[in-house]
């Protein structure tokens, strides 16, 4: 293997903005910030969600962000800061680097992901039965 996931995550982390849970939580009610949950829907159902986060599965992120894609989601056209997170911060580090490379500006991710968020006692809600993402 030329590069394992650890090296890829380390390389991405060196080029992106990373927030601690406390720093991210301070931005939770900021109307100019959008939290983006890239976890699988089963993770949301099992672990809970960050209130107000938009769910964008990792497998679709490039297609949902690109305005030229037939799958583009308007939320990504808004002038906001986007804070990505996954379960542990690995997928979100790679995602943040990818979307930054695509030209999405003002992006960051949460160190330790949702696991760290939950462990810190930050707000968690139950995923609604029907996907009610923005």
């Amino acid at each position: 293997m030329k590069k394992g996931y650890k090296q890829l995550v380390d390389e991405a982390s060196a080029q992106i903005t990373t927030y601690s849970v406390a720093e991210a939580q301070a931005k939770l009610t900021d109307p100019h910030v959008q939290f983006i949950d890239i976890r699988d829907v089963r993770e949301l159902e099992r672990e809970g969600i960050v209130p107000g986060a938009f769910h964008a599965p990792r497998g679709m992120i490039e297609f949902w962000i690109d305005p030229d894609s037939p799958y583009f989601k308007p939320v990504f056209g808004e002038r906001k800061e986007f804070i990505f997170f996954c379960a542990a911060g690995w997928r979100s580090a790679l995602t943040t680097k990818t979307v930054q490379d695509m030209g999405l500006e003002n992006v960051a991710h949460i160190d330790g992901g949702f696991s760290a968020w939950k462990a810190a006692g930050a707000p968690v809600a139950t995923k609604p039965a029907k996907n009610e993402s923005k």
Side-chain angles (χ1 to χ4, degrees), residues 1-12 90 94:
M1 177 139 325
K2 289 184 179 187
K3 284 188 185 182
Y5 78 93
K6 289 180 184 179
Q7 185 176 351
L8 290 171
V9 170
D10 288 347
E11 288 174 1
W90 302 341
L94 296 174

Side-chain angles (χ1 to χ4, degrees), residues 1 9 15 21 23-24 32-33 60 62 78 83 97 105 109 118 124-125 129 132:
M1 177 139 325
V9 170
Q15 299 177 51
V21 170
E23 291 170 323
H32 303 292
V33 174
M60 292 299 293
E62 292 86 351
E78 296 176 9
I83 301 175
K97 174 69 168 82
E105 298 176 353
H109 90 117
K118 201 170 182 179
V124 174
E132 297 176 8

Side-chain angles (χ1 to χ4, degrees), residues 64-103:
W64 285 19
I65 285 174
D66 185 346
D68 293 329
S69 165
Y71 300 104
F72 174 71
K73 298 292 183 188
V75 66
F76 293 110
E78 296 176 9
R79 291 205 158 279
K80 292 187 176 188
E81 177 179 20
F82 296 97
I83 301 175
F84 294 85
F85 66 94
C86 60
W90 302 341
R91 289 174 287 177
S92 60
L94 296 174
T95 299
T96 303
K97 174 69 168 82
T98 297
V99 301
Q100 186 173 282
D101 289 348
M102 290 177 71

